[in-house]
Amino acid sequence: MASVVFYMEDGTTLVHKLESDVATIGRHPDNDVVLTCPSSSGRHAIIKASGDGVFVQDLGSSNGTRVNGAEIEEALLKDGDRVGFGDVQSVFYAGDAPSVLEEKPLTTPRFSKSLPTSAPVSAQPSTPAAKPGPPGRPLSPVRRAYSKPSAGSYPDTSESGCMTGIIVTGLFVIAFVVGLAMRHSKEMNGNLFEDLKDKISGSMPKIKIERKEE
């Protein structure tokens, strides 16, 4: 005869044999299996037997029913499946439960519904202790990553950036003048600088100063 072993929060176990086709499970006292855990709903789930096997069906409970960690609405149970009703864990047996469970209550650790079991402390990589910071409200990891670096943590590049800008501007001006001189030489067959000098000197009026003798 199929049976279900429930592991209660107080450390005891409850063995329920599926003598009828349907077994009701929940916090309400008129259920076939009464769960006192607050995470269980009043009408949490049912376990029903049919010609196709034994099924567990959730009745719209607040914290859900899970089979081997996966939340279900209805699922076919196999021997050894672990069924969770809220925080209450149970194990389904296709036949009678092991006799040791009926003779002596067993305890089982609580399993989180959503978080995986954490790794042992020894397996976790060691990290250096954080240096104490100034008093006040601690910064979150995001704020620490984007906080302004302290003075001296990076070299001052303002002066070198200004000098680079001046050099680039000077090179641009030289290239422009050379290109203009080459174009003038090709089109006018002359020297840009000499022609420019002659034009400037020719456009200025010549003033003749005469001295009057007494």
Side-chain angles (χ1 to χ4, degrees), residues 36-89:
T36 58
C37 179
S39 64
S40 303
S41 299
R43 308 285 181 183
H44 198 102
I46 61 172
I47 296 178
K48 55 185 180 180
S50 67
D52 297 328
V54 179
F55 294 81
V56 59
Q57 178 183 350
D58 185 77
L59 300 179
S61 61
S62 300
N63 295 303
T65 302
R66 291 171 173 78
V67 175
N68 299 324
E71 189 166 353
I72 55 93
E73 293 182 0
E74 185 176 25
L76 175 65
L77 295 177
K78 301 184 294 296
D79 186 56
D81 278 350
R82 191 179 190 93
V83 187
F85 305 94
D87 287 339
V88 177
Q89 300 293 324

Side-chain angles (χ1 to χ4, degrees), residues 3 26 35 47 53 56 58 71 76 89 99-100 103 108 110 114 117 123 134 147 153 163 169 180 185 196:
S3 56
L35 304 178
I47 296 178
V56 59
D58 185 77
E71 189 166 353
L76 175 65
Q89 300 293 324
S99 58
V100 65
E103 296 173 358
T108 182
R110 291 184 59 185
S114 57
T117 305
S147 60
S153 58
M163 183 61 66
T169 303
L180 190 62
S185 175
L196 187 60

Side-chain angles (χ1 to χ4, degrees), residues 23-41:
T24 59
I25 302 167
R27 234 180 32 239
H28 199 279
D30 65 358
N31 285 293
D32 296 318
V33 179
V34 179
L35 304 178
T36 58
C37 179
S39 64
S40 303
S41 299

Side-chain angles (χ1 to χ4, degrees), residues 2-8 12-17 33 47 81-83 85 88-93 95-98 101-102 104 106 108:
S3 56
V4 183
V5 179
F6 293 86
Y7 294 85
M8 302 301 187
T12 61
T13 58
L14 172 65
V15 179
H16 180 79
K17 296 183 179 181
V33 179
I47 296 178
D81 278 350
R82 191 179 190 93
V83 187
F85 305 94
V88 177
Q89 300 293 324
S90 67
V91 178
F92 170 77
Y93 294 95
D96 291 337
L101 296 176
E102 299 180 1
K104 183 179 179 180
L106 300 179
T108 182

Side-chain angles (χ1 to χ4, degrees), residues 105-129:
L106 300 179
T107 60
T108 182
R110 291 184 59 185
F111 292 87
S112 172
K113 297 183 294 180
S114 57
L115 297 178
T117 305
S118 59
V121 175
S122 59
Q124 296 177 355
S126 60
T127 55

